[in-house]
Amino acid sequence: MSRTSAAVNNTYTRGYIRGNSKGSPGVESRNKDATGKVELRKKVTLLRGISIITGTIIGAGIFISPKGILKHSGSIGMSLVIWSACGVLSLFGALSYAELGTTIRKSGGHYTYMLEAFGPQIAFIGLWADLVAIRPSAIAVIALAFGQHILEPLFMPCAVPEIAVKLATAIGITAVMYLNSMSVSWSARVQICLFFCKLIAIAIIIIPGMIQLFKGETQNFENAFEAKEVQIMGLPLAFYSGMYAYSGWFYLNFVTEEVERPEKILPLAICISMAIVTFCYLLTNIAYYTVMTAEELLASEGVAVTFAEMLMGKFSVVVPVFVSLSCFGSMNGGIFAVSRTFYVASREGQLPEILSMIHIRRHTPLPAVIVLYPLALLTLFLGDLYSLLNFMSFVRWLFIGISVLGLIYLRHKHPEMQRTFKVPLFIPAFFSITCFFMVFLSLYSDPINTGIGFAITLTGIPAYYLFIVFNKRPKWFQRISEKSQTPPSAGVSKALLSDTQIS
């Protein structure tokens, strides 16, 4: 083979071999193997793991969800109960994922665990819902919050024009995609920096709120459980808002193969992160109610910004800036983690092979990062924030519940699997049952959005048989499939994925 031919064939580099037997611990990632194959590096330390989890959890949720929880719970006291319950429930899910991540040491999160426990069909349906519904909606929700808050200081006291919010949101999504495409190290460093910015943003709210509380500003907590109208069927939507605010505890499992000593780092990072987040969330909500009544909170378009305006005067301009940085951190952590799902799915043969390619010099899964870009932008211009939140939550928690159910199944089916971290069985059982209860009850609470989510999920069944099962396809379909997966010409290949000459 000539030097030029070798360079062309090695420009697109498969990251890993395809997965084999169920329950296998997976392949440990290396920089390069004996043949020179490029692979993702183990660059996620304990601090970076905590920053990924905490930095992704603390995003728009704590600044958006208080309104949704209060609206559907009916009272201040019940809203605080739901915040606490969501923290405990998220901890149960996080501990379950800690066991799954240390038992099945493959990246990919929910997809990998469903694949190992229940086989390729269930895993593909979850992957399909991820690709066409969950992830684009998740990116759009957090990006809209970023666009709204980054522009507020420029337009105060006027409202931000909707078109300006959409443009700022699109720029934010583009910036995050570019960052994750260029460097794993820089995306991790930015995540650590933004993690500390989030803590500053939370402290700006908690400290003045606690000062007000110690001064005796407790009138909003009197008769805290009195409500004019409480709809039981609305409680699943309140839990959805709370679980959305806590969501992100599972993202480190998406990059397990890039974690140093995952058997130790993974559970430790998860436990530390959940303790930090739950503590911050409860104090933040208490701080809100020391200044704002329930009616004022429900009337607010941005809870944190309204809180700052009522208490800090001109200094309140810094709050939306920190909130926007917090949202940017959530976008960065989410895309960093989710791209690994598509990378792993391609490695397993359930997505086009190009998505398992790695940039030769930068060691980033470039195609897997940018695959969501057009879908996220499309979703951004189609729905409002709260509809997207409910639409996304139904599908997301359905498959998270199935993944945790897989832990129970693997305990029974494969007791011989090495488990360095093990949780009591009632924890995954309670978590999965609660997820399914919220999912099915939400069909009555918000039938339109959950119905759309359910319908999109069901389209994964014919898609599975069309793209995966039917090996004897018509010759014209085979030719189209082969052309779609054929690497581009040498010039295009080098421009996209190679900055070095390969001998």
Side-chain angles (χ1 to χ4, degrees):
M1 182 181 293
S2 66
R3 179 184 181 90
T4 303
S5 178
V8 172
N9 287 341
N10 284 281
T11 299
Y12 274 82
T13 308
R14 285 296 299 271
Y16 289 86
I17 61 174
R18 187 171 296 179
N20 295 316
S21 60
K22 290 183 183 181
S24 62
V27 183
E28 294 292 336
S29 63
R30 303 177 298 278
N31 295 346
K32 290 186 179 181
D33 65 9
T35 65
K37 181 174 63 178
V38 180
E39 297 184 343
L40 297 177
R41 298 173 176 177
K42 284 184 173 291
K43 288 191 173 184
V44 181
T45 60
L46 177 61
L47 179 58
R48 286 181 175 180
I50 294 173
S51 70
I52 288 173
I53 298 173
T54 309
T56 308
I57 294 176
I58 303 177
I62 188 60
F63 310 112
I64 297 174
S65 295
K67 181 177 178 179
I69 291 179
L70 180 61
K71 177 182 178 181
H72 295 293
S73 63
S75 67
I76 291 176
M78 184 57 69
S79 69
L80 294 176
V81 169
I82 290 177
W83 275 105
S84 302
C86 289
V88 174
L89 189 61
S90 298
L91 177 61
F92 281 9
L95 291 174
S96 301
Y97 264 54
E99 178 176 331
L100 285 168
T102 53
T103 303
I104 305 169
R105 295 181 191 175
K106 295 181 182 180
S107 297
H110 325 315
Y111 168 78
T112 296
Y113 305 145
M114 288 188 289
L115 180 67
E116 297 291 326
F118 302 117
Q121 183 173 6
I122 297 296
F124 179 84
I125 293 172
L127 174 69
W128 179 265
D130 248 1
L131 181 61
V132 302
I134 300 175
R135 301 307 163 189
S137 297
I139 295 172
V141 167
I142 192 69
L144 279 171
F146 165 81
Q148 177 69 34
H149 287 90
I150 195 68
L151 294 178
E152 278 192 359
L154 301 178
F155 286 88
M156 284 184 175
C158 301
V160 183
E162 183 178 356
I163 185 61
V165 173
K166 295 292 178 71
L167 289 175
T169 299
I171 292 172
I173 294 175
T174 304
V176 170
M177 293 288 182
Y178 177 81
L179 177 63
N180 280 272
S181 299
M182 291 299 102
S183 172
V184 173
S185 295
W186 272 106
S187 61
R189 290 167 186 162
V190 169
Q191 190 69 10
I192 292 174
C193 178
L194 294 175
F195 162 64
F196 289 107
C197 289
K198 292 169 186 283
L199 295 183
I200 293 174
I202 294 293
I204 289 176
I205 295 173
I206 290 176
I207 293 175
M210 292 301 102
I211 292 174
Q212 293 295 108
L213 187 65
F214 294 143
K215 287 181 177 179
E217 298 292 334
T218 59
Q219 61 272 16
N220 292 333
F221 297 100
E222 298 174 1
N223 303 318
F225 287 91
E226 286 188 0
K228 296 180 180 178
E229 184 179 359
V230 179
Q231 296 180 354
I232 299 299
M233 301 306 292
L235 289 180
L237 297 181
F239 269 96
Y240 273 163
S241 294
M243 295 301 289
Y244 167 73
Y246 281 100
S247 65
W249 46 262
F250 42 77
Y251 276 129
L252 192 59
N253 294 70
F254 286 56
V255 296
T256 303
E257 292 167 7
E258 297 170 66
V259 177
E260 295 180 354
R261 296 178 295 126
E263 70 281 357
K264 294 182 179 180
I265 297 297
L266 193 66
L268 189 58
I270 286 173
C271 292
I272 292 174
S273 299
M274 291 309 301
I276 293 173
V277 171
T278 304
F279 178 75
C280 289
Y281 275 12
L282 286 175
L283 290 185
T284 300
N285 278 278
I286 292 173
Y288 285 150
Y289 291 123
T290 60
V291 176
M292 306 169 66
T293 65
E295 291 75 17
E296 289 171 335
L297 191 144
L298 289 173
S300 172
E301 292 297 326
V303 179
V305 175
T306 303
F307 170 89
E309 289 174 347
M310 295 177 68
L311 199 61
M312 303 177 191
K314 293 182 179 181
F315 184 72
S316 64
V317 71
V318 305
V319 173
V321 174
F322 278 106
V323 172
S324 63
L325 291 175
S326 179
C327 295
F328 190 88
S330 291
M331 283 195 292
N332 181 60
I335 292 173
F336 178 85
V338 169
S339 61
R340 273 58 177 177
T341 296
F342 305 131
Y343 167 79
V344 171
S346 174
R347 193 175 72 192
E348 296 289 342
Q350 291 198 339
L351 283 178
E353 186 178 8
I354 192 173
L355 297 183
S356 63
M357 304 296 179
I358 298 173
H359 193 291
I360 289 175
R361 183 171 63 84
R362 296 187 172 93
H363 296 271
T364 60
L366 180 61
V369 170
I370 63 176
V371 67
L372 278 177
Y373 183 62
L375 288 172
L377 291 181
L378 179 64
T379 307
L380 171 65
F381 289 95
L382 291 182
D384 67 273
L385 192 146
Y386 285 100
S387 294
L388 286 173
L389 177 59
N390 295 335
F391 168 74
M392 170 189 65
S393 296
F394 167 79
V395 186
R396 167 185 278 177
W397 294 111
L398 173 64
F399 287 107
I400 289 178
I402 293 174
S403 300
V404 175
L405 189 64
L407 184 155
I408 302 173
Y409 175 79
L410 290 174
R411 286 268 195 102
H412 171 72
K413 191 72 174 179
H414 295 285
E416 76 284 354
M417 294 177 70
Q418 183 180 1
R419 294 173 171 86
T420 57
F421 181 84
K422 201 171 181 179
V423 297
L425 201 58
F426 82 89
I427 288 180
F430 179 80
F431 179 81
S432 58
I433 290 172
T434 305
C435 284
F436 295 141
F437 176 77
M438 288 194 303
V439 164
F440 292 121
L441 198 58
S442 67
L443 287 170
Y444 296 96
S445 300
D446 189 6
I448 296 177
N449 285 307
T450 53
I452 292 173
F454 187 65
I456 291 177
T457 302
L458 290 180
T459 62
I461 298 176
Y464 175 76
Y465 285 98
L466 178 62
F467 297 113
I468 306 298
V469 174
F470 293 155
N471 293 321
K472 295 182 179 179
R473 300 166 186 158
K475 291 184 178 180
W476 64 268
F477 193 91
Q478 291 181 16
R479 286 195 296 268
I480 294 175
S481 298
E482 290 170 0
K483 287 181 180 180
S484 67
Q485 295 190 21
T486 300
S489 63
V492 177
S493 300
K494 290 181 180 180
L496 286 176
L497 293 182
S498 179
D499 292 305
T500 59
Q501 188 82 11
I502 300 178
S503 301

